[in-house]
């Protein structure tokens, strides 16, 4: 099993560098987004003129978790009903659903997935306003859309997406905040807060040893933190080859709780705010089941946990996912190396997965 093989001395260096870059990349995106002629300003202007009645988001993999975060933003902050597209309806089944009054947002690191491009093409032809959020302004997805927001994450060399994911989160937040009349000012604290989280690397590296021989684990969260739980599970699966499942805190109690025992660690994201409040009864149920619990987020959840990573509490709840994922990215890297893997090059995976 992984852990019996010595990884190369360079294992995880690219991922480590890209995780560390994130506060700087956020600063860059914040600086550029404030310009009147920015692609974000143009996208906001087009969306406001279009006045959508509904939002559809289309994405795959890590970007799908960023899209899920955007779903919470659009519904909570803008009051717009929002859904996630199943691209196969338009690729495999050749469906062409009506899209009048729909804002269709394609989210992709590379912008190169044919199924996402086809989805935006169909949406645009059927009346939707199409917007691409990518890390490549010259990508097929960006060209297929009527407007594009560049997340400005820079080249990402590690297969596991890290900085492009949080840059997507920030770009989507800035978009939604501007649409509701905000200025993005609440995000100004993020780079410094992110640096404080990354300063906990030594603590997180020790936590990796705690889970070195785990074969299964569960990630959970509610509200804005649910996308974090899903992304955390994906990072752990693709880098460390551990069977990680993600559930919302509410869904975890509807059946999956039965599989929890002391041999199945639970990693719970417990933010400051309403989502974190809703997780406290879930933690109580997990404690009663004898689960080994790691909490990431608020300090007050530590008394319900066996291990904890405390995050800064001076950013709004809707921005907490940018901080919450950082410990999981770091944990995934250290856990992979402890288990004998190279997180920069997960076996069988490529940087761009082309799904038809």
């Amino acid at each position: 099993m992984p852990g019996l093989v010595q990884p190369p001395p360079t294992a995880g260096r690219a991922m480590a560098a890209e995780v560390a870059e994130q506060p700087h990349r956020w600063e860059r995106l914040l600086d550029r987004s404030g310009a009147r002629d920015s692609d974000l300003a143009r996208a906001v202007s087009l969306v406001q003129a279009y006045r959508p009645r509904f939002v559809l988001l289309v994405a795959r993999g890590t970007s799908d978790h960023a899209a899920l975060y955007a779903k919470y933003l659009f519904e909570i902050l803008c009051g717009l009903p929002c859904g996630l597209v199943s691209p196969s309806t338009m690729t495999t089944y050749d469906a062409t659903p009506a899209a009048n009054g729909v804002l269709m947002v394609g989210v992709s690191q590379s912008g190169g997935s044919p199924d996402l491009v086809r989805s935006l093409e169909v949406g645009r032809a059927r009346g939707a306003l199409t917007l691409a959020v990518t890390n490549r302004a010259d990508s097929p997805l960006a060209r297929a859309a009527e407007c594009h927001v560049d997340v400005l994450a820079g080249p990402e060399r590690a297969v596991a997406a890290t900085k492009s994911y949080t840059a997507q989160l920030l770009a989507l937040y800035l978009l939604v905040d501007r649409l509701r009349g905000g200025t993005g000012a609440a995000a100004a604290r993020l780079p410094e807060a992110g640096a404080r989280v990354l300063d906990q690397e030594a603590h997180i590296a020790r936590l990796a040893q705690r889970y070195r021989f785990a074969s299964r684990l569960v990630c959970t969260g509610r509200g804005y933190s649910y996308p974090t739980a899903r992304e955390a599970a994906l990072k752990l699966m693709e880098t460390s080859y551990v069977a990680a499942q993600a559930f919302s805190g509410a869904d975890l109690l509807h059946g999956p709780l039965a599989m929890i025992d002391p041999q199945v660690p639970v990693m719970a994201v417990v933010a400051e705010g309403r989502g974190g409040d809703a997780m406290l009864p879930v933690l109580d149920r997990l404690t009663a089941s004898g689960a080994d619990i790691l909490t990431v987020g608020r300090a007050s959840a530590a008394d319900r946990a066996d291990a904890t990573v405390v995050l800064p509490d001076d950013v709004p709840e809707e921005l907490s996912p940018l901080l919450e994922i950082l410990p999981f990215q770091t944990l995934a890297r250290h856990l992979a190396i402890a288990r004998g893997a190279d997180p920069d090059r997960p076996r069988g995976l490529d940087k761009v997965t082309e799904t038809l």
Side-chain angles (χ1 to χ4, degrees), residues 23 31 41 49 140 176 180 212 230 233 236 246 264 274 284 327-328 331 348:
D31 288 344
V176 173
R180 66 165 175 170
R212 181 180 177 185
R230 292 182 55 167
L236 291 162
V264 182
R274 296 185 186 186
D284 291 339
F328 289 108
L331 178 65

Side-chain angles (χ1 to χ4, degrees), residues 24-73:
H24 170 69
R25 292 295 173 178
W26 301 347
E27 285 182 336
R28 184 168 182 247
L29 182 54
L30 288 167
D31 288 344
R32 298 283 185 89
S33 66
R36 290 187 178 182
D37 61 347
S38 68
D39 52 9
L40 179 67
R42 179 174 179 270
V44 169
S45 178
L46 287 173
V47 174
Q48 289 174 332
Y50 183 74
R51 300 182 67 182
R53 296 178 295 104
F54 194 86
V55 181
L56 286 175
L57 295 141
V58 55
R60 292 286 195 193
T62 283
S63 297
D64 196 44
H65 305 148
L68 179 59
Y69 168 69
K71 183 178 188 295
Y72 280 91
L73 290 174

Side-chain angles (χ1 to χ4, degrees), residues 9-354:
T10 58
R13 286 187 183 176
M15 186 176 178
E18 288 166 356
V19 169
E21 272 184 58
Q22 290 175 103
H24 170 69
R25 292 295 173 178
W26 301 347
E27 285 182 336
R28 184 168 182 247
L29 182 54
L30 288 167
D31 288 344
R32 298 283 185 89
S33 66
R36 290 187 178 182
D37 61 347
S38 68
D39 52 9
L40 179 67
R42 179 174 179 270
V44 169
S45 178
L46 287 173
V47 174
Q48 289 174 332
Y50 183 74
R51 300 182 67 182
R53 296 178 295 104
F54 194 86
V55 181
L56 286 175
L57 295 141
V58 55
R60 292 286 195 193
T62 283
S63 297
D64 196 44
H65 305 148
L68 179 59
Y69 168 69
K71 183 178 188 295
Y72 280 91
L73 290 174
F74 275 113
E75 292 186 344
I76 296 170
L77 301 185
C78 289
L80 283 170
C82 191
L84 301 176
V85 170
S86 299
S88 62
T89 61
M90 288 170 271
T91 56
T92 303
Y93 295 96
D94 297 320
T96 57
N100 291 320
V102 171
L103 169 63
M104 183 177 283
V105 184
V107 186
S108 171
Q109 191 280 134
S110 69
S113 297
D115 58 344
L116 305 190
V117 174
R118 175 60 180 163
S119 296
L120 258 63
E121 290 173 342
V122 170
R124 186 171 180 175
R126 295 288 284 155
L129 174 65
T130 52
L131 164 64
V133 178
T134 81
N135 196 31
R136 280 187 53 200
D138 62 345
S139 64
L141 191 67
R143 293 195 298 270
E146 289 159 272
C147 51
H148 173 254
V149 174
D150 191 337
V151 303
L152 301 175
E156 197 169 48
R157 293 187 297 117
V159 170
T162 53
K163 63 179 182 175
S164 63
Y165 173 68
T166 58
Q168 287 173 341
L169 299 185
L170 181 53
L172 289 162
Y173 169 80
L174 292 171
L175 172 72
V176 173
D177 189 52
R178 298 286 172 85
L179 289 173
R180 66 165 175 170
T183 64
R189 301 191 207 96
L190 279 172
E192 187 273 334
R196 278 187 279 151
V197 176
L198 294 176
D199 283 344
Q200 299 188 59
E201 179 169 4
H203 169 58
I204 297 167
R206 289 190 293 271
L207 287 177
Q209 296 303 315
R210 180 184 186 92
Y211 305 108
R212 181 180 177 185
F213 296 106
S215 59
R216 295 185 297 150
L217 58 84
V218 166
C219 298
T220 185
R222 291 203 66 178
Y224 289 111
S225 298
Y226 177 43
T228 303
R230 292 182 55 167
E231 175 62 10
L234 177 60
K235 283 294 155 287
L236 291 162
M237 284 190 286
E238 70 182 344
T239 60
S240 304
Y241 318 136
V242 61
Q245 292 177 278
F247 301 95
S248 77
D251 288 338
L252 182 61
L253 301 183
H254 288 271
L257 183 68
M259 73 174 178
I260 302 298
D261 62 35
Q263 281 67 54
V264 182
V266 178
M267 298 181 176
V269 190
V270 190
E272 297 286 353
R274 296 185 186 186
D277 293 345
M279 277 298 297
L280 298 181
V282 179
L283 293 179
D284 291 339
R285 293 284 300 276
L286 289 168
T287 299
S289 72
D292 181 289
I293 304 170
L294 165 69
T295 60
V296 172
R298 61 168 70 177
S300 60
D303 61 353
R304 292 173 164 88
D306 301 280
T308 189
V309 178
V310 177
L311 302 181
D313 59 3
D314 53 354
V315 300
E317 181 184 5
E318 58 264 28
L319 285 168
S320 62
L322 280 95
L323 303 182
E324 293 164 354
I325 195 58
L326 301 181
F328 289 108
Q329 293 171 345
T330 303
L331 178 65
R333 177 170 63 86
H334 283 286
L335 184 59
I337 293 170
R339 291 163 68 92
D342 182 355
D344 289 343
R345 299 171 180 82
R347 63 188 182 213
L349 296 180
D350 295 315
K351 188 62 184 172
V352 179
T353 301
E354 295 194 354

